[in-house]
């Protein structure tokens, strides 16, 4: 009979290819907050993006109410953008935050403030992690989240502009990445100091917008450097069908890759050959948002049988996702291996 592990040990053991416990771990490298979860806790967006106590309490509901083995308190992808000068719409219970301005079109204008970790949008995450570590000790895996320099460039310059530069002004792209990677390093290190066990590095060079060649040319060396400089356990998150570059993610040195349903779980497991953990890949729009609990359980069983290390939604879940479908992920995982 498999030994029962704490949520933290279950999660970390799977991430590092260690002991298989009583069941596969269920994690949330990206947000699992829904309107229904906000109603159950009485904590709503945008307050949970801006106040550390509210952020920590709402994040903890993913463990306390849904049964996930991890807690991840950063729900948006805009914390760094806000700290660097983008005007923000912090959204509401039915809308995620969004940057309203893209203020940097020239690399010469880019400035990373010395006190960037004291900016409210960054400080709130660090304070929330500290509160959660104090509350949960070593019982539950705490996950931090940072944006990589490619994503931050999208926010500061505009996605279309930045992608165009990658084709016609490659040196400009490299200069953006060179400046902004420092934000990623500083924020990730600070999250580890605040109490994170693992940090997710989200860098949205998505499969439908960025080719494997472009990733290899611009981002692979940057990601290799980030892995070395940050030092702690890192899970890469890149959306879209990235089946054609999984070996590049292994080469970058990440401990895990958080992937989408577009990448078949069996093919992904075969591609990474146990050299990197796989986290995912339960479909959001079709299964979690519009499907039934049995649809969820069926997909979880497929991913577990394929050998996915940590079961998770493929990305931040839609805010109208039914809680019963998120609970079904944990229920199916309890069937074990």
């Amino acid at each position: 009979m498999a030994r029962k592990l704490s949520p933290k040990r279950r999660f970390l053991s799977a991430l590092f290819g260690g002991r298989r416990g009583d069941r596969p771990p269920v994690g949330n490298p990206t947000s699992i907050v829904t309107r229904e979860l906000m109603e159950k806790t009485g904590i709503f967006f945008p307050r949970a993006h801006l106040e550390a106590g509210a952020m920590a309490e709402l994040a903890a509901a993913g463990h306390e109410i849904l049964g996930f083995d991890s807690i991840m308190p950063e729900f948006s992808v805009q914390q760094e953008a806000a700290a660097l000068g983008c005007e923000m719409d912090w959204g509401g219970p039915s809308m995620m935050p969004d940057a309203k301005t893209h203020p940097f079109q020239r690399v010469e204008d880019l400035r990373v403030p010395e006190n960037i970790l004291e900016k409210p949008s960054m400080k709130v995450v660090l304070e929330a992690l500290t509160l959660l570590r104090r509350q949960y000790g070593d019982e539950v895996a705490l996950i931090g989240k940072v944006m990589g320099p490619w994503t931050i460039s999208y926010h500061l310059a505009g996605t279309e502009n930045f992608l165009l530069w990658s084709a016609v002004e490659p040196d400009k792209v490299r200069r953006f990445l060179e400046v902004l990677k420092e934000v990623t390093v500083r924020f990730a290190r600070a999250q580890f100091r605040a109490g994170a066990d693992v940090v997710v590095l989200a860098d949205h060079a998505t499969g439908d917008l960025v080719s494997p060649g472009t990733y290899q040319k611009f981002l692979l060396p940057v990601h290799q450097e980030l892995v070395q400089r940050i030092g702690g356990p890192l899970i890469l998150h890149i959306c879209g069908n990235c089946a054609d570059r999984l070996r590049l993610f292994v080469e970058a040195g990440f401990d895990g890759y958080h992937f989408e349903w577009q990448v078949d779980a069996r093919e992904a497991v075969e591609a990474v050959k146990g050299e990197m953990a796989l986290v995912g890949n339960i479909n959001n729009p079709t299964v979690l948002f519009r499907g039934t609990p049995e649809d969820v359980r069926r997909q979880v069983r497929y991913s577990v049988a394929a050998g996915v290390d940590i079961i998770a939604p493929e990305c931040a879940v839609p805010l109208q996702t039914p809680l019963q479908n998120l609970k079904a992920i944990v229920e199916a995982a309890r069937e074990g291996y």
Side-chain angles (χ1 to χ4, degrees):
M1 183 176 180
R3 182 179 177 184
K4 185 175 181 179
L5 304 178
S6 70
K8 177 175 176 175
R9 290 184 67 194
R10 186 182 294 123
F11 185 96
L12 293 180
S13 184
L15 181 63
F16 296 123
R19 175 182 297 154
R20 292 176 66 159
D22 51 322
R23 64 166 176 82
V26 177
N28 57 317
T30 49
S31 175
I32 52 170
V33 169
T34 68
R35 178 65 185 255
E36 197 176 347
L37 196 64
M38 294 185 227
E39 290 170 352
K40 283 189 174 293
T41 60
I43 298 170
F44 293 86
F45 293 165
R47 180 181 165 217
H49 299 304
L50 305 171
E51 298 177 19
M55 178 180 282
E57 187 174 346
L58 184 57
H63 171 69
E64 299 289 351
I65 295 175
L66 302 180
F68 278 57
D69 292 306
S70 61
I71 297 174
M72 197 284 295
E74 186 179 336
F75 314 118
S76 88
V77 298
Q78 301 288 352
Q79 309 300 123
E80 293 91 341
L84 288 165
C86 292
E87 293 181 18
M88 296 301 304
D89 178 349
W90 284 106
S94 300
M95 187 179 76
M96 282 290 195
D98 191 33
K100 296 166 61 178
T101 60
H102 308 294
F104 296 101
Q105 301 302 309
R106 301 191 318 152
V107 72
E108 293 80 9
D109 296 331
L110 277 180
R111 295 289 184 274
V112 177
E114 285 295 321
N115 66 339
I116 191 167
L117 297 178
E118 294 297 316
K119 299 290 184 179
S121 61
M122 309 274 271
K123 188 177 181 180
V124 66
V125 176
L126 302 177
E127 291 179 346
L129 283 166
T130 299
L131 290 171
L132 288 165
R133 174 57 70 210
R134 189 177 304 144
Q135 179 177 354
Y136 287 97
D138 286 321
E139 178 65 19
V140 183
L142 294 187
I143 304 179
K145 186 176 73 174
V146 297
M147 297 301 110
W150 195 271
T151 293
I152 302 173
S153 296
Y154 280 174
H155 296 160
L156 297 189
T159 302
E160 291 185 9
N161 289 338
F162 193 71
L163 289 174
L164 177 62
W165 296 343
S166 70
V168 300
E169 295 186 75
D171 287 342
K172 185 174 184 178
V173 167
R174 290 190 180 93
R175 292 198 299 273
F176 261 75
L177 298 177
E178 185 69 19
V179 172
L180 295 175
K181 69 185 181 186
E182 301 304 320
V183 179
T184 303
V185 170
R186 291 175 62 182
F187 200 21
R189 287 176 172 172
Q191 290 188 29
F192 281 118
R193 291 194 298 270
D197 297 301
V198 180
V199 167
V200 173
L201 195 158
D203 221 3
H204 296 89
T206 56
D208 56 341
L209 295 178
V210 176
S211 70
T214 299
Y215 175 85
Q216 189 168 23
K217 176 181 178 182
F218 290 106
L219 266 180
L220 177 58
V222 174
H223 282 174
Q224 289 171 325
E225 179 183 345
L226 292 176
V227 167
Q228 293 301 314
R229 291 180 61 194
I230 292 169
L234 291 176
I235 297 173
L236 175 67
H237 171 82
I238 296 182
C239 300
N241 189 344
C242 293
D244 56 4
R245 64 205 73 180
L246 290 174
R247 293 303 306 174
L248 294 176
F249 300 159
V250 172
E251 186 179 343
F254 291 102
D255 298 290
Y257 173 54
H258 181 220
F259 70 118
E260 294 196 358
W261 182 252
Q262 294 178 54
V263 182
D264 179 76
R266 295 184 188 277
E267 293 178 10
V269 169
E270 183 178 347
V272 304
K273 305 182 189 305
E275 297 174 63
M276 176 178 69
L278 289 169
V279 185
N281 60 331
I282 308 306
N283 178 282
N284 278 352
T286 303
V287 175
L288 288 175
F289 177 46
R290 291 193 293 269
T292 66
E294 182 51 38
D295 293 330
V296 176
R297 285 190 284 268
R298 187 180 306 113
Q299 201 165 88
V300 170
R301 287 192 290 267
Y302 181 86
S303 293
V304 170
V308 174
D309 300 282
I310 298 169
I311 306 302
E314 63 182 354
C315 196
V317 301
L319 292 172
Q320 300 302 329
T321 298
L323 281 194
Q324 64 177 358
N325 284 352
L326 291 171
K327 289 179 178 179
I329 300 175
V330 179
E331 293 166 2
R334 287 184 178 139
E335 297 174 6
Y337 293 99

